[in-house]
Amino acid sequence: MSTATLSATTQSVKRSESTSTLPSFMQAVVVHGPEKYVMERLPVPVPGPGEMLIKVEAVGVCASDLKCYHGATKFWGDEDRPAWAQTGITPGHEFVGTIVLADDVAEAHHQVSVGDRIACEQIVPCGECRYCTRGHYWMCGPHDMFGFRNFNGAMAEYLVVPIRALTHRVSHELPAAHAAFAEPLACSLHAVERANIHFDDVVVIAGCGPIGLGAIAGAKAKGARVVVALDLSDDKLALAGKCGADILLNAGTSDVIAEITAMTDGYGADVYIECTGHPSGVKQGLNLLRKLGTFVEYSVFGSDVTVDWSIISDDKELDIFGAHLGPNCWPAAIKMIESGVLPMDDICTNQFALNDYQAALDLVSDTAGASVKVSILP
């Protein structure tokens, strides 16, 4: 028997022994169109060569999940794609799970073993397009993504991890909902990286939801002199203080532009990171920045945003940066969660069983509610 044949046989036996302990069917949420997410009984998927099967422990519900659910989100301006997650796919991209099935190829490629707990980056890069070959994998041309396009997400009991996926080991000691927060936190840290923060900067974070809270922690870790948090909720502002914000301003009851102008000797903030997802947050940021300031946009908007571009050019000559996903920030995000520096019990406010997925979606849609990060625990 050749070495190749022996290796294939060993992998096959390993898979067969593991498969025998798995159930035949699982529960999974399936997209049938806007506001038509249905719980279905499906066969537990069988991973192919080089793939892994994980038992999902937690999946966060993101604002982008909600906007897709309502059919309000186009995929990065591509009019040929539908305004919701791909029909027939299982949603859910913020997840953590334990590897229950993997062959030798998968374990060697991802440098993991059966029994390890992993989180996966949302993007599943092709590795061949211009962006991937130049190291910009998070802007991959085909843009396959867990829970949105071509790969099932984690609102299910089990999920197949393709060999192209980007995986990261996470401590088993973390509560599942905390571990799944690695995805939004990595996104927050990427927004902070884009801002190129300096030690003497006054940094304003607009929106104290999951992304904004992570950006506050990241800006503080980067050494900003002052981190200002803006929100309409005093409860969320209090949580922002626990994440490192120095100044808390309620944008509904305070003249935030006047207050920030006053605290900066009339100049304005050095950096503004927009995490509200509301068009008013954009105009607010342009107005409170100083000349030559930096604006970072992270939010996913449900409608077009119109602003006076003369502020960006002729008035202030601002640096405007977009931020997408959490490239190269996952190890730092996981380390930050594992370190205990974040008030994770206060951030991960609500957990639901998989059967209660609709309640989880509805709670995220309640913008006036007290929830911060809502998770589903299959």
Side-chain angles (χ1 to χ4, degrees):
M1 184 181 293
S2 69
T3 303
T5 302
L6 179 60
S7 175
T9 302
T10 302
Q11 293 171 19
S12 177
V13 170
K14 181 177 181 180
R15 176 172 290 122
S16 176
E17 290 175 348
S18 300
T19 303
S20 65
T21 66
L22 296 174
S24 299
F25 292 91
M26 69 175 186
Q27 296 291 105
V29 179
V30 179
V31 174
H32 290 275
E35 300 182 1
K36 295 180 181 178
Y37 286 22
V38 180
M39 181 70 74
E40 298 185 7
R41 184 172 182 263
L42 301 175
V44 172
V46 177
E51 297 179 338
M52 301 186 292
L53 185 71
I54 66 169
K55 182 173 177 56
V56 179
E57 297 178 43
V59 53
V61 182
C62 177
S64 62
D65 289 320
L66 188 69
K67 288 170 182 174
C68 283
Y69 171 74
H70 289 299
T73 302
K74 292 290 183 184
F75 279 84
W76 299 277
D78 188 341
E79 296 299 325
D80 294 330
R81 297 184 187 178
W84 55 86
Q86 194 175 53
T87 301
I89 208 166
T90 293
H93 61 277
E94 302 177 3
F95 62 88
V96 65
T98 297
I99 303 168
V100 295
L101 201 57
D103 62 20
D104 293 340
V105 172
E107 289 186 331
H109 178 79
H110 295 285
Q111 298 184 25
V112 296
S113 300
V114 170
D116 284 348
R117 186 191 228 184
I118 62 168
C120 298
E121 298 195 27
Q122 181 183 15
I123 189 81
V124 184
C126 71
E128 299 176 355
C129 70
R130 172 177 180 170
Y131 302 105
C132 287
T133 57
R134 295 186 180 188
H136 304 139
Y137 70 89
W138 66 99
M139 298 305 298
C140 173
H143 228 79
D144 292 336
M145 306 181 83
F146 284 110
F148 290 106
R149 178 174 167 83
N150 290 340
F151 290 97
N152 284 319
M155 290 188 191
E157 294 178 278
Y158 293 90
L159 177 147
V160 168
V161 177
I163 197 165
R164 290 198 275 126
L166 304 174
T167 62
H168 301 272
R169 278 184 290 186
V170 185
S171 170
H172 280 289
E173 295 181 5
L174 291 176
H178 297 188
F181 192 70
E183 196 279 339
L185 182 55
C187 293
S188 302
L189 298 185
H190 177 51
V192 169
E193 290 275 52
R194 294 284 280 165
N196 191 27
I197 292 169
H198 297 92
F199 291 126
D200 197 42
D201 282 347
V202 173
V203 178
V204 177
I205 312 294
C208 297
I211 298 296
L213 293 172
I216 288 165
K220 198 66 178 176
K222 278 287 189 178
R225 176 166 60 89
V226 177
V227 177
V228 182
L230 307 181
D231 202 277
L232 299 175
S233 165
D234 288 334
D235 289 338
K236 290 182 179 177
L237 285 168
L239 182 52
K242 293 181 180 180
C243 291
D246 302 294
I247 297 174
L248 313 174
L249 296 178
N250 188 313
T253 59
S254 302
D255 185 341
V256 298
I257 295 176
E259 294 206 33
I260 291 169
T261 300
M263 74 176 69
T264 56
D265 298 324
Y267 289 101
D270 301 287
V271 175
Y272 181 86
I273 302 179
E274 204 291 308
C275 305
T276 70
H278 193 280
S280 64
V282 179
K283 182 178 180 180
Q284 172 182 259
L286 296 178
N287 286 326
L288 64 77
L289 279 169
R290 66 167 170 81
K291 294 178 181 180
L292 302 176
T294 299
F295 186 114
V296 178
E297 180 56 65
Y298 198 91
S299 297
V300 176
F301 293 97
S303 59
D304 293 341
V305 180
T306 301
V307 297
D308 180 2
W309 276 72
S310 295
I311 299 173
I312 298 169
S313 57
D314 190 53
D315 291 357
K316 295 186 176 181
E317 195 175 318
L318 300 176
D319 288 331
I320 307 293
F321 293 97
H324 177 55
L325 304 184
N328 306 311
C329 293
W330 278 75
I334 293 169
K335 183 178 180 180
M336 185 176 285
I337 295 170
E338 292 177 345
S339 73
V341 69
L342 289 174
M344 293 304 302
D345 286 333
D346 295 325
I347 293 173
C348 297
T349 51
N350 301 86
Q351 292 86 46
F352 291 85
L354 184 58
N355 286 336
D356 294 327
Y357 72 94
Q358 188 63 57
L361 289 167
D362 292 343
L363 184 58
V364 175
S365 70
D366 181 11
T367 56
S371 67
V372 180
K373 171 49 63 178
V374 175
S375 303
I376 295 170
L377 308 180

